[in-house]
Amino acid sequence: MTRAQLTDLEWEYVEPYLPIGEYGPYPAWLRKQFEGVIWKFRSGAQWREMPAEFGAWSTVHNRFRQWRDAGVFEALLEGLIAQAAARGEVDISLVSVDSTTTRAHHDAAGMRLGPGVLDALEKAA
């Protein structure tokens, strides 16, 4: 038994959020694949290091990407927060998330120089 295994109560909550498409996953593998995703992020290991009990690492990784793109994890988080708030276990007015990302041009790490400029700088030095 790995630490990534869900209790039956946890699985009852998670299962309805996981879409089953026309080509899979097979419902029998759904829980193991989700547990594989949990294992990956809890362990910090690479996808290729995933134990075989979760299925092929590439299949679990593809399933994770499908769920990520479908917004499954955001929906799970929002559902958990809503349930906790309904029970009076969380004060949503105190929730705040802030993240800022600024992309730089690939040349930002160094100065672009024309062909003759570098020679002129070397001569001046």
Side-chain angles (χ1 to χ4, degrees):
M1 178 180 210
T2 64
R3 293 189 66 193
Q5 289 184 328
L6 299 172
T7 66
D8 289 337
L9 184 61
E10 291 169 332
W11 179 243
E12 285 178 24
Y13 176 78
V14 170
E15 186 178 23
Y17 285 91
L18 302 178
I20 297 184
E22 183 178 343
Y23 300 107
Y26 297 114
W29 279 94
L30 194 62
R31 184 171 181 169
K32 282 294 180 189
Q33 291 171 348
F34 189 80
E35 290 172 346
V37 171
I38 293 172
W39 175 88
K40 193 272 186 243
F41 289 103
R42 278 191 180 166
S43 69
Q46 295 182 9
W47 286 104
R48 292 179 186 265
E49 298 171 339
M50 181 171 294
E53 70 185 88
F54 301 117
W57 73 266
S58 58
T59 302
V60 177
H61 178 255
N62 287 336
R63 194 69 60 216
F64 162 73
R65 287 188 3 242
Q66 291 169 352
W67 290 334
R68 176 201 63 202
D69 295 346
V72 167
F73 301 105
E74 290 87 355
L76 274 168
L77 182 59
E78 289 171 5
L80 286 169
I81 292 171
Q83 281 189 359
R87 292 189 306 265
E89 296 175 355
V90 68
D91 182 1
I92 294 179
S93 67
L94 299 177
V95 175
S96 175
V97 177
D98 182 28
S99 175
T100 303
T101 303
T102 304
R103 295 195 59 167
H105 189 272
H106 64 273
D107 290 331
M111 184 172 58
R112 279 198 134 184
L113 302 174
V117 176
L118 185 56
D119 292 334
L121 288 173
E122 287 175 349
K123 286 180 184 178

